Amino acid sequence: MRLVEVGHVAALVRARGVEEVLCDLADYIEADYRRWAEFDKSPRFASHSSDGVIELMPIADAQAFGFKYVNGHPRNFEAGLQTVTGFGVLADVATGYPHLIAEMTIMTALRTAAMSALAARHLARPDASSMAIIGLGAQSEFQAIAFGALLGIDRLRVYDVDPAAAAKFVRNMEGMGLRIHVARSAPEAVEGADIVTTVTADKKLATILSDNMVGAGVHLNAIGGDCPGKTELQPAILERASVFVEYQPQTRIEGEIQQMPADFPVTELWRVIAGEAPGRQRVDEITLFDSVGFAIEDFAALRYLADVTKDPRFHRQIDLLAQPADPRDLYGLVGPVRVEAAA
Ligand code: NAD
């Protein structure tokens, strides 16, 4: 069984270049969205506590079963920990044997950014060239680079309540060919931006964007509101926007649309990707990708890792599954060692 650790993913991204990895991940995700009907899907299992949530995200097609373990703990930062961490498993449907186990903290940031940019390719105005990012934590650089690589966005207007987060973002983006304006407030950041990404973390119904901050023609990429009781947009924005979601049964519970009536109209993004529904239809339309993160994106990321980590630089083999020589003699692995009597 192959184990892909944090160091392996870091080595892979350094070897290939982060832009190339993001573009490849977007291709894998797009390919899986196109064959939506082939997947056995369900909303994720979520175990909530006062400070966060722990989730399991399963999905399968006829060949492979995958799942991700992931958490969301906005206050972890205070203890020097990540808000979001995870690992994932890919198994063979025919035998039930898992064959890949992988870190999914960096991979979640990469797949989320690839997914955001893929959605924006269908929903943002084709002439979009600037993006505001509100929330400059762990996900933010990945988002910025993905929008640069997939859409050519090279002007950023960024804001975080924590000036240290903004300084870290600017430092990490040095030499990437981006023009970055660090704003002193969220309204200043969104001024004139073609795309607005909200990627803050707080377990509450927050107002990161209010209705008066969103002008005609803008594409909203709302990432941070991703569990019950955790949103970023004022509901009035949703009334004015065309709303696109990953998987309705999950987003109705977890997304920005948890603030709206159960029959609030939305379009599942796979329909747009597969050419069954229109994306943006007018230049002055407000489009919203109400992102919560769906299992199909992790499945695509695990498929990608299975394909690109065969080189021993990018994995190690582990002894996780008991494999006695005689499959019926599992006890033989733990029972007393028998010395066969000499004939
Ligand atoms: P993080 O804790 O590293 O960063 C969050 C940043 O938001 C921090 O820098 C914080 O100072 C800033 N912030 C908080 N409130 C703010 C406000 N009112 N205005 C401006 N900035 C503010 O978290 P992260 O790993 O970057 O994740 C961000 C969010 O994205 C989390 O809520 C996480 O659950 C979510 N997420 C969603 C997906 C998805 O697929 N939709 C995937 C990964 C993470």
Side-chain angles (χ1 to χ4, degrees):
M1 176 150 161
R2 205 189 300 171
L3 173 68
V4 179
E5 294 174 288
V6 173
H8 295 128
V9 168
L12 178 81
V13 174
R14 289 212 176 92
R16 296 194 162 219
V18 64
E19 285 102 338
E20 185 183 315
V21 171
L22 284 162
C23 291
D24 288 347
L25 277 172
D27 289 345
Y28 272 69
I29 294 171
E30 183 163 33
D32 283 347
Y33 265 96
R34 277 186 198 285
R35 56 189 192 96
W36 183 258
E38 293 176 24
F39 286 96
D40 183 4
K41 302 173 279 293
S42 55
R44 61 186 156 198
F45 165 81
S47 171
H48 293 276
S49 56
S50 56
D51 286 337
V53 62
I54 293 176
E55 297 162 330
L56 287 178
M57 304 171 68
I59 193 162
D61 67 8
Q63 283 76 42
F65 173 95
F67 77 86
K68 179 171 80 172
Y69 166 101
V70 68
N71 77 308
H73 285 69
R75 292 179 57 193
N76 267 4
F77 173 74
E78 294 159 23
L81 302 172
Q82 292 284 121
T83 297
V84 176
T85 58
F87 68 91
V89 171
L90 208 54
D92 184 16
V93 165
T95 60
Y97 268 42
H99 54 85
L100 177 81
I101 178 162
E103 89 80 35
M104 286 291 277
T105 304
I106 301 171
M107 288 309 294
T108 292
L110 287 164
R111 74 81 157 129
T112 303
M115 181 66 238
S116 287
L118 174 62
R121 217 157 52 181
H122 291 276
L123 303 177
R125 292 195 323 272
D127 65 346
S129 63
S130 64
M131 175 161 83
I133 306 180
I134 303 177
L136 301 173
Q139 311 298 317
S140 60
E141 291 90 349
F142 297 89
Q143 290 282 327
I145 298 169
F147 277 78
L150 273 89
L151 281 90
I153 301 296
D154 59 2
R155 286 183 297 130
L156 299 177
R157 302 176 62 82
V158 301
Y159 172 69
D160 195 293
V161 281
D162 178 2
K168 174 234 35 169
F169 179 87
V170 171
R171 200 167 56 240
N172 281 339
M173 292 296 94
E174 237 169 50
M176 303 285 302
L178 299 167
R179 272 195 286 155
I180 302 174
H181 170 76
V182 179
R184 278 159 302 175
S185 67
E188 184 192 331
V190 304
E191 242 174 66
D194 301 319
I195 299 172
V196 178
T197 290
T198 54
V199 62
T200 65
D202 217 344
K203 207 168 185 235
K204 65 176 187 194
L205 302 177
T207 303
I208 305 301
L209 287 185
S210 52
D211 192 29
N212 61 336
M213 289 161 68
V214 181
V218 165
H219 172 62
L220 303 173
N221 174 42
I223 302 295
D226 61 355
C227 81
K230 180 160 168 262
T231 57
E232 296 181 305
L233 309 187
Q234 213 174 40
I237 299 172
L238 305 185
E239 302 277 10
R240 293 163 61 214
S242 304
V243 180
F244 298 82
V245 302
E246 289 144 314
Y247 178 55
Q248 271 202 63
Q250 187 178 310
T251 311
R252 294 256 177 221
I253 305 166
E254 302 180 350
E256 295 299 326
I257 57 169
Q258 66 184 273
Q259 307 178 83
M260 309 307 278
D263 60 351
F264 183 76
V266 298
T267 304
E268 284 187 334
L269 198 64
W270 72 268
R271 300 187 61 225
V272 178
I273 292 173
E276 289 188 17
R280 168 177 293 271
Q281 297 185 75
R282 300 184 319 275
V283 276
D284 63 349
E285 189 175 0
I286 296 167
T287 50
L288 163 62
F289 176 39
D290 184 0
S291 164
V292 294
F294 182 50
I296 199 169
E297 296 145 27
D298 302 304
F299 185 90
L302 287 164
R303 266 196 327 108
Y304 170 76
L305 284 182
D307 287 348
V308 299
T309 62
K310 291 177 186 145
D311 185 311
R313 282 180 301 158
F314 305 136
H315 78 269
R316 68 186 169 95
Q317 292 294 331
I318 54 166
D319 181 22
L320 193 69
L321 305 175
Q323 189 67 37
D326 171 1
R328 294 266 157 81
D329 189 14
L330 184 62
Y331 181 76
L333 290 181
V334 296
V337 178
R338 289 183 200 286
V339 181
E340 296 299 328

